[in-house]
Amino acid sequence: MRFNEIGQQLRAYRMESGLKAEEISARLGVSRAALYRYEKGEVIKLDTVNRLAELLKISPLTLLGIGVEYYAKPVGYMERIRQIEETSDQILQVFGPVCYLISSEQYDSVLAQIFEEQAEAMGADRAAARAAAEQLLGVMMARKRMYTARKPSIIGILPPASVEKFLAEGIAGSIVVSERLRQAAREIAAREMELVANLMESEPIGLQLGLMANGEPNGPFTLLRSRERATLAINPFPADAPPGLQSGVAMITGAEDAVAAHQRVAEVAWREAVKGAAAAERVRAIIAAARG
């Protein structure tokens, strides 16, 4: 067993559960320090794995990393992806409208304002909503810091329909906010897509972006590769998903057949994608149409 990976998955599922470390350690009858040591990869007994799985409402096999991992909330999925990205050399994303790791600071700033306004509207539950938003944003920004430090290569295939929707609704379009903030979200969305167009045109080393030629993918997915392994992540949560969103179930697996099947789909999509200056021109045309 790879205890460091068990620890990583334990942390992701703990965050998704909404339980605090103190609550879990108390129910297990261990110290909070012991729980944190488990999360850092200390050897853990199978009996403890079973009890943790019961507390977190998952199967022991899932916690051991055997089979498929399932996440029903954005924070658990984002934390797990953060962990996998720490050792990834290549990230291939087949969905849009943006690649979060290369988005701007303004994107995060407006998203934080949207989450704050949403939390403020929740009355007595505002403190819990604010804490959940801070936790999610913390994980997301940690992903960006990792990317800045390590610079894994990124290939992004963005569906035009997702770009159009993003420009029409702005960042976090599913959240009802004030008109002032919604307008700011649309303005930043347009700036993000201008950045994408510039990157398509300049084609910097280690970053390749293209527009999907034939409609939307049947399901958004990401392939993450390191020297040791390849991982498939099927993700229903957009990068700007609110903390409480439960729009589907994210799945993460290293199964060779699943990885290979999605790799074939991605290769065809990239081969047929519009790239370079032609892609940049199309993105700018979509931006102009949205503004018009």
Side-chain angles (χ1 to χ4, degrees), residues 190 224 267:
L224 304 102
E267 287 173 357

PDB file of all heavy atoms in Angstrom, residues 190 224 267:
ATOM      1  N   ALA A 190     -14.354  38.272 -20.432  1.00  0.00           N
ATOM      2  CA  ALA A 190     -13.856  38.723 -21.736  1.00  0.00           C
ATOM      3  C   ALA A 190     -12.335  38.876 -21.712  1.00  0.00           C
ATOM      4  O   ALA A 190     -11.641  38.495 -22.666  1.00  0.00           O
ATOM      5  CB  ALA A 190     -14.525  40.047 -22.116  1.00  0.00           C
ATOM      6  N   LEU A 224      -3.831  13.495 -16.571  1.00  0.00           N
ATOM      7  CA  LEU A 224      -2.642  14.011 -15.896  1.00  0.00           C
ATOM      8  C   LEU A 224      -1.579  12.923 -15.923  1.00  0.00           C
ATOM      9  O   LEU A 224      -1.824  11.800 -15.472  1.00  0.00           O
ATOM     10  CB  LEU A 224      -2.967  14.407 -14.453  1.00  0.00           C
ATOM     11  CG  LEU A 224      -4.104  15.426 -14.289  1.00  0.00           C
ATOM     12  CD1 LEU A 224      -5.386  14.726 -13.860  1.00  0.00           C
ATOM     13  CD2 LEU A 224      -3.740  16.507 -13.282  1.00  0.00           C
ATOM     14  N   GLU A 267      -6.645  12.615 -28.478  1.00  0.00           N
ATOM     15  CA  GLU A 267      -5.754  12.729 -29.643  1.00  0.00           C
ATOM     16  C   GLU A 267      -6.519  13.126 -30.894  1.00  0.00           C
ATOM     17  O   GLU A 267      -6.064  13.959 -31.681  1.00  0.00           O
ATOM     18  CB  GLU A 267      -5.023  11.400 -29.857  1.00  0.00           C
ATOM     19  CG  GLU A 267      -3.938  11.139 -28.814  1.00  0.00           C
ATOM     20  CD  GLU A 267      -3.341   9.756 -28.924  1.00  0.00           C
ATOM     21  OE1 GLU A 267      -3.811   8.964 -29.773  1.00  0.00           O
ATOM     22  OE2 GLU A 267      -2.401   9.448 -28.154  1.00  0.00           O
TER      23      GLU A 267
END
